[in-house]
């Protein structure tokens, strides 16, 4: 199978590719593509582009199309790639000839349409650019005279694309609105008047329901992340083209960043809810509630919310509340912490994730299909994969072996993000999750000291300074 699903450490990488023993077997070369045991390992960029282009009797493998469209943006911008693909098609199929060879183009037409369809379906954000749509339309204008049906196909393709982009941008706007509403409310701390916030238990007192609503939020946000964002997060200058980065415009990773922000918000929301109540018994009750929510997230396969809840509970302002914790049945919490323990490169979590991924493959219901990975670790794995291996080999060839591994990790993620959420949505709870005021770190410390007074001089000094800066009290 090649590389294992999870990368145990950067030591698995050698600068030019993966484990060195892979390179002892025989190499074949076909049209500038280097194969190792039947797998494409490297090639020049031109040869890879040529390999993408369908002909009357050739169509690239689905896995190749995804891998190349995903990784090619490290070397060439999508609009430039599409332009080159179209030019080569025009040359090879002689689409500039005054009289077209209709029989040949009828064999070629469905294939180029298929390629363009796959591109728009998997990387719709590429087509937010006018130039991309221009190339699409130009291609169709050239082949359409040979078959009326091509116009219809083209219109369908553009309609589907427009709907998809509209849905995605609507989702993005929603997320932007929510984020703006939140930043106005980053409440520091105001003497804990009841008006500052309904607490979570008054909005949802059932841990199952809250875990399901969190899963709604996660899947909704995941659905907006384009696979290319993982690659664009790491765009460097390409060594063969020292003049400019491949993306002169800003990196297109806004959905990925919004998702990381959501994780941070959830951590702070959990910590705020625990530090807020004046009575220790209530604080203990909130902790136990969140332990149950986290456990249910684990059962659902929602590892991202699970990790955010555990992180929120492990923040210093929360973990220092010794008297509160003494009232909590902590056994369940330790089991969850053990699951998400970072030791051995998150060995326990990775094992649980593989279990969930396996369950997802054989699932009969949407509920069993849910896999929401601990997102910042996924990004970290992809980052290490990217840093641990060169994009190009010493001879200037593209290191395709690296990109197959990248495509495997991102491809798995795409499967997971397409799951329809099986739980009914509760707008009231979801609104609360997005808009309930949360304390800043200072606000959390102040609330924590007000709940259980400082234990040492450092804490006393900090409490004093927070009281004067936040409450204006001496």
């Amino acid at each position: 199978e090649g590389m294992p699903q999870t990368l145990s450490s950067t030591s698995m990488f050698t600068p030019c590719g993966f484990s060195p023993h892979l390179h002892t077997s025989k190499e074949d070369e076909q049209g500038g593509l280097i194969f190792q045991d039947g797998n494409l390992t490297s090639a020049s960029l031109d040869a890879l582009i040529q390999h993408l282009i369908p002909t009357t009797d050739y169509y690239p493998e689905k896995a190749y199309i995804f891998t190349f469209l995903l990784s090619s943006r490290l070397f060439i911008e999508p609009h430039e790639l599409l332009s080159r693909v179209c030019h080569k098609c025009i040359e090879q199929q002689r689409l500039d000839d005054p009289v077209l060879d209709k029989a040949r183009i009828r064999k070629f037409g469905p294939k180029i349409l298929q390629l363009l369809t796959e591109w728009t379906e998997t990387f719709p954000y590429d087509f937010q650019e006018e130039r991309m749509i221009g190339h699409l339309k130009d291609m169709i204008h050239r082949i359409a005279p040979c078959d009326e049906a091509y116009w219809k196909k083209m219109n369908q393709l553009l309609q589907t694309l427009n709907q998809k982009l509209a849905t995605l941008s609507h989702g993005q706007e929603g997320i932007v609105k929510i984020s703006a509403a939140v930043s106005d409310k980053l409440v520091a701390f105001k003497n804990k008047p009841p008006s500052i916030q309904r607490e979570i238990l008054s909005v949802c007192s059932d841990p199952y329901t809250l875990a399901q609503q969190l899963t709604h939020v996660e899947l909704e946000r995941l659905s907006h992340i384009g696979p290319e964002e993982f690659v664009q997060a790491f765009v460097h200058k390409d060594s063969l083209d020292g003049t400019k980065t491949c993306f002169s415009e800003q990196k297109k990773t806004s959905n990925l960043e919004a998702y990381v922000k959501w994780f941070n918000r959830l951590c702070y929301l959990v910590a705020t809810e625990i530090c807020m109540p004046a009575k220790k018994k209530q604080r203990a009750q909130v902790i136990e509630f969140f332990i149950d929510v986290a456990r249910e997230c684990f059962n659902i396969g929602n590892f991202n919310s699970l990790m955010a809840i555990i992180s929120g509970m492990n923040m210093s302002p929360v973990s220092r509340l010794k008297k509160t914790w003494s009232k909590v049945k902590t056994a369940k919490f330790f089991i969850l912490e053990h699951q998400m323990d970072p030791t051995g490169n998150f060995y326990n979590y990775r094992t649980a994730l593989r279990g969930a991924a396996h369950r997802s493959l054989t699932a009969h219901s949407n509920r069993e299909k849910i896999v929401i990975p601990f997102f910042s670790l996924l990004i970290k794995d992809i980052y290490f994969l990217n840093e641990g291996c060169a994009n190009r080999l010493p001879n200037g060839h593209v290191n395709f072996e690296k990109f197959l591994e990248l495509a495997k990790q991102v491809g798995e993620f795409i499967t997971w993000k397409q799951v329809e959420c099986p739980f009914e949505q509760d707008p009231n709870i979801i609104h609360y999750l997005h808009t309930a005021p949360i304390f800043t770190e200072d606000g959390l410390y102040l609330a924590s000291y007000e709940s259980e007074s400082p234990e040492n001089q450092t804490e006393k000094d900090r409490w004093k300074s927070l009281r004067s800066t936040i409450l204006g009290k001496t």
Side-chain angles (χ1 to χ4, degrees):
E1 238 304 289
M3 291 282 289
Q5 292 275 311
T6 52
L7 309 169
S8 62
S9 77
T10 47
S11 64
M12 294 177 68
F13 303 126
T14 54
C16 66
F18 294 93
S19 16
H21 63 261
L22 291 178
H23 294 283
T24 51
S25 53
K26 69 177 186 26
E27 290 195 354
D28 307 306
E29 182 169 356
Q30 307 163 18
L33 304 171
I34 309 293
F35 289 86
Q36 195 93 46
D37 297 333
N39 297 318
L40 177 56
T41 56
S42 73
S44 68
L45 186 58
D46 283 338
L48 291 170
I49 294 174
Q50 187 58 57
H51 196 52
L52 180 71
I53 293 170
T55 62
T56 50
D57 49 13
Y58 162 76
Y59 189 75
E61 286 176 20
K62 211 174 170 62
Y64 176 77
I65 296 172
F66 177 65
T67 304
F68 185 60
L69 290 181
L70 178 70
S71 55
S72 60
R73 57 199 70 238
L74 289 166
F75 308 99
I76 179 173
E77 290 191 42
H79 71 88
E80 219 175 307
L81 176 61
L82 185 53
S83 163
R84 281 172 70 171
V85 167
C86 291
H87 280 302
K88 288 197 171 189
C89 288
I90 291 165
E91 265 172 40
Q92 288 164 17
Q93 303 303 325
R94 298 206 282 281
L95 297 177
D96 270 343
D97 287 6
V99 180
L100 296 174
D101 178 345
K102 290 194 173 179
R104 191 175 74 218
I105 290 172
R106 280 201 194 99
K107 281 186 191 159
F108 165 75
K111 291 183 171 147
I112 187 67
L113 276 169
Q114 175 62 29
L115 180 70
L116 295 171
T117 304
E118 282 191 47
W119 193 335
T120 55
E121 281 174 355
T122 318
F123 300 96
Y125 289 121
D126 286 353
F127 293 86
Q128 283 173 317
E129 262 201 82
E130 280 303 309
R131 288 179 283 193
M132 294 289 284
I133 301 288
H135 295 313
L136 265 186
K137 289 183 171 167
D138 177 56
M139 197 70 229
I140 301 300
H141 278 285
R142 290 170 185 275
I143 62 173
C146 301
D147 193 332
E148 279 299 300
Y150 294 162
W151 288 118
K152 213 170 137 183
K153 266 271 173 54
M154 171 67 174
N155 278 331
Q156 270 172 336
L157 183 149
L158 285 174
Q159 248 176 329
T160 314
L161 178 64
N162 280 331
Q163 278 169 334
K164 197 159 190 176
L165 285 173
T167 315
L168 290 168
S169 75
H170 176 73
Q172 276 176 312
E173 279 161 27
I175 285 172
V176 169
K177 277 202 192 86
I178 285 167
S179 308
V182 169
S183 59
D184 303 339
K185 284 191 192 161
L186 270 173
V187 181
F189 187 75
K190 299 274 183 292
N191 271 345
K192 283 193 263 190
S195 63
I196 165 183
Q197 131 172 43
R198 302 175 296 166
E199 79 288 342
I200 187 81
L201 289 169
S202 67
V203 182
C204 175
S205 57
D206 175 43
Y208 288 92
T209 309
L210 189 61
Q212 292 178 357
Q213 297 310 304
L214 285 169
T215 304
H216 246 296
V217 174
E218 298 279 354
L219 285 170
E220 157 73 19
R221 284 171 170 255
L222 280 184
S223 71
H224 299 296
I225 298 172
E228 71 283 357
E229 294 191 41
F230 289 102
V231 174
Q232 279 156 198
F234 308 126
V235 168
H236 296 303
K237 281 192 164 64
D238 181 11
S239 51
L240 286 195
D241 177 16
T243 50
K244 61 180 173 81
T245 39
C246 309
F247 278 84
S248 30
E249 317 107 83
Q250 99 297 0
K251 290 183 192 168
K252 307 183 177 88
T253 53
S254 54
N255 300 297
L256 199 133
E257 287 159 28
Y259 190 50
V260 173
K261 275 190 185 140
W262 150 252
F263 177 90
N264 294 336
R265 170 172 170 80
L266 184 53
C267 294
Y268 273 84
L269 181 65
V270 168
T272 301
E273 294 285 347
I274 294 169
C275 290
M276 201 117 80
K279 294 195 168 66
K280 143 175 97 198
K281 189 179 159 191
Q282 286 171 299
R283 291 194 296 274
Q285 193 189 355
V286 177
I287 292 178
E288 293 199 322
F289 172 71
F290 276 120
I291 292 172
D292 289 337
V293 174
R295 192 163 69 162
E296 189 49 28
C297 286
F298 180 83
N299 294 338
I300 290 173
N302 177 356
F303 297 106
N304 203 50
S305 292
L306 164 66
M307 197 57 165
I309 293 171
I310 291 175
S311 306
M313 290 174 149
N314 280 329
M315 285 172 85
S316 306
V318 178
S319 60
R320 68 169 291 281
L321 298 170
K322 307 277 190 299
K323 293 173 184 153
T324 304
W325 281 96
S326 71
K327 295 254 173 276
V328 174
K329 301 184 201 63
T330 47
K332 285 192 288 192
F333 180 62
F334 293 140
I335 291 169
L336 289 171
E337 258 198 323
H338 177 67
Q339 280 297 346
M340 303 309 273
D341 180 3
T343 323
N345 192 13
F346 288 92
Y347 179 81
N348 297 343
Y349 157 69
R350 290 181 191 277
T351 307
L353 180 69
R354 274 203 300 274
H358 184 72
R359 172 184 76 181
S360 182
L361 286 174
T362 56
H364 298 298
S365 68
N366 270 350
R367 187 183 160 125
E368 293 170 343
K369 277 191 193 141
I370 298 172
V371 183
I372 301 169
F374 169 30
F375 194 65
S376 53
L377 189 61
L378 176 70
I379 292 179
K380 202 169 125 187
D381 285 347
I382 291 174
Y383 175 79
F384 278 125
L385 170 61
N386 189 58
E387 289 296 301
C389 290
N391 289 335
R392 288 186 189 267
L393 303 179
N395 66 0
H397 271 194
V398 171
N399 181 1
F400 203 72
E401 202 176 352
K402 166 180 176 174
F403 296 122
L404 284 167
E405 180 57 29
L406 183 69
K408 188 160 110 188
Q409 295 196 15
V410 176
E412 198 169 28
F413 168 79
I414 290 187
T415 316
W416 297 336
K417 81 172 194 135
Q418 286 166 344
V419 175
E420 290 277 320
C421 190
F423 310 120
E424 204 175 323
Q425 200 171 357
D426 183 325
N428 200 12
I429 299 175
I430 286 181
H431 180 74
Y432 183 86
L433 288 170
H434 280 129
T435 59
I438 52 176
F439 291 161
T440 56
E441 194 174 352
D442 281 348
L444 284 172
Y445 270 109
L446 180 57
S448 178
Y449 296 143
E450 299 272 327
S451 296
E452 294 189 17
S453 39
E455 288 183 1
N456 55 39
Q457 201 47 50
T458 319
E459 288 195 341
K460 282 180 184 149
D461 294 343
R462 183 158 192 188
W463 188 23
K464 209 170 146 183
S465 98
L466 289 173
R467 287 193 72 137
S468 68
T469 51
I470 296 178
L471 300 179
K473 288 184 175 171
T474 47

